[in-house]
Amino acid sequence: MDSLTQIVLGAAVAAVSVPARDRRVALAAGAVLGTLPDLDGIPLALMGLDPVTRVTWHRGPSHSLPLLLAAGWLLWLLLRRWNQRVRTAPRPWLVAIWLALLTHPLLDAFTVYGTQLWWPSPTRPVMGGSMFIIDPLYTLPLLAACIAAAVAGPRAWGRRWLAGGLLLGSLYLGWSLVGQQLADRAAARALAPMGLRDAPRLVVATPLNTLLWRVVVMTPDGFLEGERSLVADRGAMRFTAHASDTAALQALGADPAVARLRWFTHGFMKAERDGDALVVSDLRMGAEPDYSFNYRVARWADGRWQPVPVRQQSGIRDAKGMLAATWQRIWHAAPAP
């Protein structure tokens, strides 16, 4: 999720856990701890890594639940030794530190980017996909709760605001899972007559909402793409077929960059030729033909695809237009073919 959301979530869970006299301090501490895991982007950028390595290691060790549990405990031991507030209420502050750190990757896991909750285990990243990386309906109640708690200080109504903001946020996360399942069921019904009910399928929230869902279905020669508005759509879901150079992906299967992308995306990627270059796109973020992450991984030479140093290409070209189209699509069914 975006930094503001992680800041207010960390602040809220920390402040609601400590004694009332420590609430304002906990808001600040939780805000810092809540955004701390995303600072892994700084060393990754400074190390001069190739784009695939940099992208796939983000949300890696810094988002590992076991590592964050250990880091939070060590931080608590230090603060208990040197900080009077923590020494006076050690258990509530341990809970506050752990919650501020752990809720960050757990919330990230609701998005589709991919969060390595169990690093260093080699299991694939968790990519729930029920939340977009920015969603005001989740963030604003938490922001309001944190502002109210800062104003209230130790007064009791500040804690009630925090509890209310966290409750609303949790209910919205629950709704996102329900909405995702509704869209998935519609997709399954439409895919069954096509013999694709069991094909790899991804259902993701579209930008800034949980009412319009994008569905990607992998096929032997490419993928299908469809949308489901929980407001406007009533009939069978429709899909559009898109080609992918699956033969090129298979030929480059042993290339470390391509293999790493396949692991990171759970195989939801496409390949297309651009002149003599092969460009691989992450199908999870964006929509045909614009995707957030595109990589030039090989070139055609001597009758075959040969790996080259990875270069990241431009992402979505018309974000404003995509948002406008998303808003319209929420409220209006797709025109009949």
Side-chain angles (χ1 to χ4, degrees):
M1 297 292 286
D2 63 284
S3 295
L4 175 60
T5 303
Q6 296 289 10
I7 286 170
V8 295
L9 175 60
V13 295
V16 82
S17 303
V18 300
R21 66 178 182 275
D22 296 338
R23 189 170 296 140
R24 284 176 174 154
V25 174
L27 282 170
V32 173
L33 293 174
T35 197
L36 195 61
D38 275 347
L39 297 183
D40 66 345
I42 296 175
L44 289 173
L46 295 176
M47 291 169 67
L49 303 170
D50 68 84
V52 169
T53 301
R54 187 171 64 249
V55 166
T56 59
W57 275 89
H58 176 51
R59 296 198 191 178
S62 69
H63 287 60
S64 165
L65 295 179
L67 290 189
L68 289 175
L69 275 170
W73 182 69
L74 291 174
L75 176 61
W76 174 74
L77 288 177
L78 290 173
L79 291 174
R80 191 179 63 170
R81 181 179 180 87
W82 300 107
N83 186 279
Q84 178 63 34
R85 293 179 185 273
V86 177
R87 202 160 46 240
T88 303
R91 288 185 180 179
W93 271 100
L94 176 60
V95 171
I97 291 169
W98 269 342
L99 285 178
L101 288 172
L102 296 177
T103 53
H104 181 120
L106 290 174
L107 181 60
D108 276 348
F110 280 83
T111 72
V112 78
Y113 182 90
T115 307
Q116 298 173 50
L117 294 179
W118 306 110
W119 191 93
S121 167
T123 55
R124 285 178 166 179
V126 178
M127 48 178 219
S130 68
M131 291 282 288
F132 189 66
I133 57 171
I134 301 173
D135 195 319
L137 289 181
Y138 180 79
T139 306
L140 290 177
L142 289 173
L143 178 60
C146 288
I147 293 173
V151 172
R155 286 173 286 186
W157 60 269
R159 194 174 193 278
R160 289 196 292 271
W161 270 83
L162 289 170
L166 290 167
L167 176 61
L168 288 174
S170 299
L171 290 174
Y172 188 71
L173 287 177
W175 153 251
S176 76
L177 296 173
V178 172
Q180 186 182 46
Q181 285 302 307
L182 292 173
D184 185 65
R185 289 179 184 178
R189 288 194 298 269
L191 292 168
M194 304 162 60
L196 294 172
R197 186 184 182 94
D198 296 323
R201 181 168 73 244
L202 182 68
V203 182
V204 296
T206 56
L208 307 180
N209 79 99
T210 52
L211 296 175
L212 178 64
W213 298 85
R214 175 173 171 262
V215 181
V216 179
V217 184
M218 302 307 295
T219 62
D221 58 351
F223 62 99
L224 306 179
E225 186 179 51
E227 291 179 336
R228 188 70 175 183
S229 168
L230 301 182
V231 176
D233 292 345
R234 293 293 180 269
M237 191 170 179
R238 295 193 294 271
F239 291 91
T240 302
H242 301 284
S244 173
D245 196 336
T246 54
L249 285 176
Q250 184 175 0
L252 292 166
D255 176 62
V258 174
R260 180 74 175 175
L261 281 173
R262 182 177 287 110
W263 170 81
F264 186 65
T265 66
H266 293 224
F268 288 93
M269 59 185 190
K270 75 165 184 175
E272 61 182 347
R273 190 166 185 157
D274 182 11
D276 66 346
L278 187 73
V279 177
V280 173
S281 298
D282 185 337
L283 293 175
R284 301 171 302 161
M285 288 163 281
E288 192 65 25
D290 282 346
Y291 296 96
S292 300
F293 297 101
N294 309 285
Y295 308 93
R296 189 178 295 252
V297 299
R299 68 182 181 91
W300 185 259
D302 300 326
R304 62 187 179 91
W305 288 111
Q306 299 185 13
V308 297
V310 179
R311 277 176 41 201
Q312 190 164 359
Q313 299 201 159
S314 59
I316 295 174
R317 293 166 289 185
D318 185 14
K320 185 176 180 181
M322 181 175 287
L323 287 175
T326 297
W327 179 254
Q328 291 297 317
R329 182 64 180 85
I330 291 172
W331 310 109
H332 302 283

